[in-house]
Amino acid sequence: MDELDETDREILDILLSDSRRSYSAIADAVGLSPPAVSDRIERLQEMGVIRRFTVDIDRSVLAQGVPVLVTVTGVSGAGPDIEASLAAAEETEHVFRTVDDTVVATMTVRATSAGETVRDRLDLDAVREYEIRLLDGRDWQPQVGDATFAPECVECGNTVTEEGERERIDGEVYHFCCASCKSAFVDQYERLSEEA
Amino acid sequence: MDELDETDREILDILLSDSRRSYSAIADAVGLSPPAVSDRIERLQEMGVIRRFTVDIDRSVLAQGVPVLVTVTGVSGAGPDIEASLAAAEETEHVFRTVDDTVVATMTVRATSAGETVRDRLDLDAVREYEIRLLDGRDWQPQVGDATFAPECVECGNTVTEEGERERIDGEVYHFCCASCKSAFVDQYERLSEEA
DNA sequence: CCTGAAACGCCTCCGTT
DNA sequence: AACGGAGGCGTTTCAGG
């Protein structure tokens, strides 16, 4: 099992503030050679820590429909399904799900049809209540801090140890505690993909 | 006043999915030369559309305290202050504020002291109620769609027109509808900076 | 606002420690 | 794991349309 050391965290902090910084500039900052930085960044991607290099867009200067904050309180156990259906909507940008089946999402909807759009995306039998509010401000300050690498098995939920395995499926890295959890997950995933 | 054309949106979409893509690769994709792409990206940064190049980190594979979703309902008009104080906390990653003075934030707090940490950051006189819930899932799918460039004056709230001005302060781009709004805002900003 | 060519810098591969 | 060098690609600058 890999670990995150202090140098990895420094590299992540630099990439968070400027992901286009050259490897040689990063290398100078952390005291390594450019190939070493390249290797580490590649490893961080393989580990699934870095999901992708992207860009922080200021949506407050863009006009594109109405930005809303949607809060959905699901019936017990319905959280993951609600999260999945909101995440699948093209109007959605962020989705957060809590352990008590509350899901908060930000969406950009056509001006007059906010409620309709949200209802269309949800299975209302699983929803206790929902609220839609106009969004008026947002901030984002990503940071790594002193985080350590500690993935959970997506099949059984256990923390992944030295013997763990991982697999990249459709561009996402999934972690497993053992080979049987991995094959169970992959089989299930393939079955669901074929149905769709 | 600048505008966003279809090519700008294509470039933004490419950068959202991979901000390390080379200018020449982007140039091939959108049918321009590398210098033209470089110029456009520089312009998007000056316009404040691109805030920074960053990296999408999968926090679910990192262990770093407890991730929580904090929902604060403020008294009338207190939303912006609550937003600012939560955004200033180092534990905070995302903050969303609605027009009716509700603020939702995601934070990573030390295990035992979630409530304490949040209370320390807030002016409780301005808070009607707040809730702290354990975060268990998140998604992010940034996209540009058909957005147009339409900044609002940070001083008076009007939409900025051809005659608008902009200024970069502390790395952030601010838009103004006219020179007097700009100088009013800059004066106010400098006064507040000196006090702190 | 864009293109094209040229100089420069950076990235990657690979052999080595 | 990381370094160092060589080859090749990417970026930037500048003149020109």
Side-chain angles (χ1 to χ4, degrees), chain B residues 35-189:
Chain B
V37 171
S38 169
D39 287 349
R40 277 171 180 263
I41 290 176
E42 205 171 310
R43 203 188 82 239
L44 289 167
Q45 290 182 274
E46 280 162 14
M47 289 164 75
V49 175
I50 293 179
R51 207 184 263 139
R52 69 183 178 297
F53 300 99
T54 187
V55 60
D56 181 10
I57 288 182
D58 186 351
R59 270 143 222 286
S60 69
V61 304
L62 299 181
Q64 179 198 22
V66 183
V68 294
L69 185 82
V70 179
T71 307
V72 181
T73 311
V75 301
S76 182
D81 285 343
I82 295 170
E83 178 189 14
S85 51
L86 284 177
E90 60 169 358
E91 296 91 348
T92 301
E93 188 184 359
H94 288 282
V95 185
F96 301 101
R97 177 175 58 81
T98 68
V99 291
D100 58 351
D101 299 299
T102 295
V103 179
V104 172
T106 64
M107 306 174 75
T108 308
V109 296
R110 305 303 145 196
T112 52
S113 59
E116 204 181 316
T117 305
V118 173
R119 280 191 299 276
D120 284 351
R121 302 287 179 265
L122 289 174
D123 170 17
L124 290 176
D125 291 339
V127 172
R128 236 202 288 278
E129 58 174 325
Y130 69 91
E131 280 182 300
I132 301 172
R133 296 199 191 82
L134 269 182
L135 249 185
D136 197 26
R138 41 180 126 195
D139 291 275
W140 181 39
Q141 341 181 287
Q143 49 193 309
V144 180
D146 56 359
T148 57
F149 185 59
E152 289 176 4
C153 177
V154 290
E155 181 68 18
C156 70
N158 291 333
T159 300
V160 175
T161 63
E162 301 277 345
E163 295 79 31
E165 307 196 1
R166 57 173 170 247
E167 179 85 13
R168 186 176 286 269
I169 310 174
D170 284 347
E172 276 280 320
V173 176
Y174 296 89
H175 295 272
F176 308 95
C177 62
C178 59
S180 72
C181 272
K182 175 174 157 184
S183 63
F185 182 90
V186 171
D187 289 350
Q188 173 85 354
Y189 190 97

Side-chain angles (χ1 to χ4, degrees), chain A residues 51-122:
Chain A
R51 210 184 259 138
R52 68 184 177 299
F53 301 99
T54 186
V55 62
D56 181 11
I57 288 182
D58 186 351
R59 268 144 224 286
S60 70
V61 303
L62 299 181
Q64 180 198 22
V66 182
V68 293
L69 185 81
V70 179
T71 308
V72 181
T73 310
V75 301
S76 182
D81 285 343
I82 294 170
E83 178 189 14
S85 52
L86 284 177
E90 59 169 358
E91 295 90 349
T92 301
E93 188 184 0
H94 288 283
V95 185
F96 301 101
R97 177 175 58 81
T98 68
V99 292
D100 59 350
D101 298 301
T102 295
V103 179
V104 172
T106 64
M107 306 175 73
T108 308
V109 296
R110 305 304 143 195
T112 50
S113 59
E116 203 181 318
T117 305
V118 173
R119 279 192 298 278
D120 284 351
R121 303 287 178 265
L122 290 174

